[in-house]
Amino acid sequence: VSMAANEQSKKPSESRFKQQTLPAWQPILTPKTVIPAFAVVGAALLAIGIALLLASRSVVEAKADYTDLCVPVADSNGTLGVTNCTVANGNAVRITVSKTMKAPVYMYYELTNYYQNHRRYVKSRNDAQLRGEPPTSYSDLEDCTPLITNGPRTAANFYLPCGLIAWSRFNDTIQLMDSLGTAIVQDTNGVAWASDLEKKFKNPPMNAQGQRLTYFNDQDPSDPANWVSFTDPDFVVWMRTAGLPHFRKLYRVIRQDLAPGTYMLDINSRFPVKGFGGTKSIVLSTTSWMGGKNDFLGIAYIVVGSLCMTLAIVFLVLNIVNPRRLGDQQFLVWQ
């Protein structure tokens, strides 16, 4: 009796779901349904792909690589200083705009071979500290390894902010000039995400203890005017790590049209890239309704759409040359 009861307990309940008796629809794939489906999907993908590709090709870009044109130099102690490549010095970096660039024009800096996506690098930050909450103990900052403290494990020696990301920030300064050497207005409005500025980054109290990060290596860290603001758009943009070793980060926005011609870039170069075999460039770019210049998405849609259309044509030809009647018994195999 107990075995029968046990078997009875394992039986699913008499519901239509558990007994798999719910109404169901199983389509029968026939040439009349498959061929039009492939043709419609292929046509839609081709239309989307062509639209995306045209939008990408409408974006105007100009790029100047200054890796070898403006190399930071080291002083006698081996500390990297600044190399000023400016109009005044006669060695400004030139960038050529081939077509009219309609406002707004976005200025990016581009780095290559820089692995911001390395696990140890990505983890080396403390979000509570970046929200303006000073740490109270060394254990609070363990995520920032190896840049936590400059000496004994006391609050006065904690790096503020701590971590590899903050202390390796891009600190070149760039100003676009016209052919006459006049500075073109560029601003930081919209450079950083509004959600980051509102919720993720706040300055700590002015009297918070710690070793402050300065904008440049040669500045006095005891002067509050030199401290990097946690809400500085350039700092916030840098702290949002890139997923690939070749990346661009938004630097400035130019809210006027740029006519075709040669422009100059006043660059104070401090950020070294030679040591890790990288490069650094300045990119000027417009945008379209789909964003920046990226041909890949449009090409991918066109390739898949073309494949669907090709399959539709192949199936149509096969159906015409060698048609098969639905449910033809001559194709059945009897054992």
Side-chain angles (χ1 to χ4, degrees), residues 277-324:
T279 63
K280 54 183 180 179
S281 308
I282 299 301
V283 179
L284 300 176
S285 177
T286 59
T287 59
S288 67
W289 58 267
M290 64 158 289
K293 191 177 187 65
N294 184 0
D295 290 348
F296 173 79
L297 191 59
I299 293 173
Y301 270 89
I302 291 173
V303 169
V304 177
S306 300
L307 180 60
C308 289
M309 293 296 292
T310 301
L311 290 174
I313 295 171
V314 170
F315 290 157
L316 179 62
V317 171
L318 289 175
N319 189 54
I320 294 174
V321 174
N322 188 22
R324 173 178 173 178

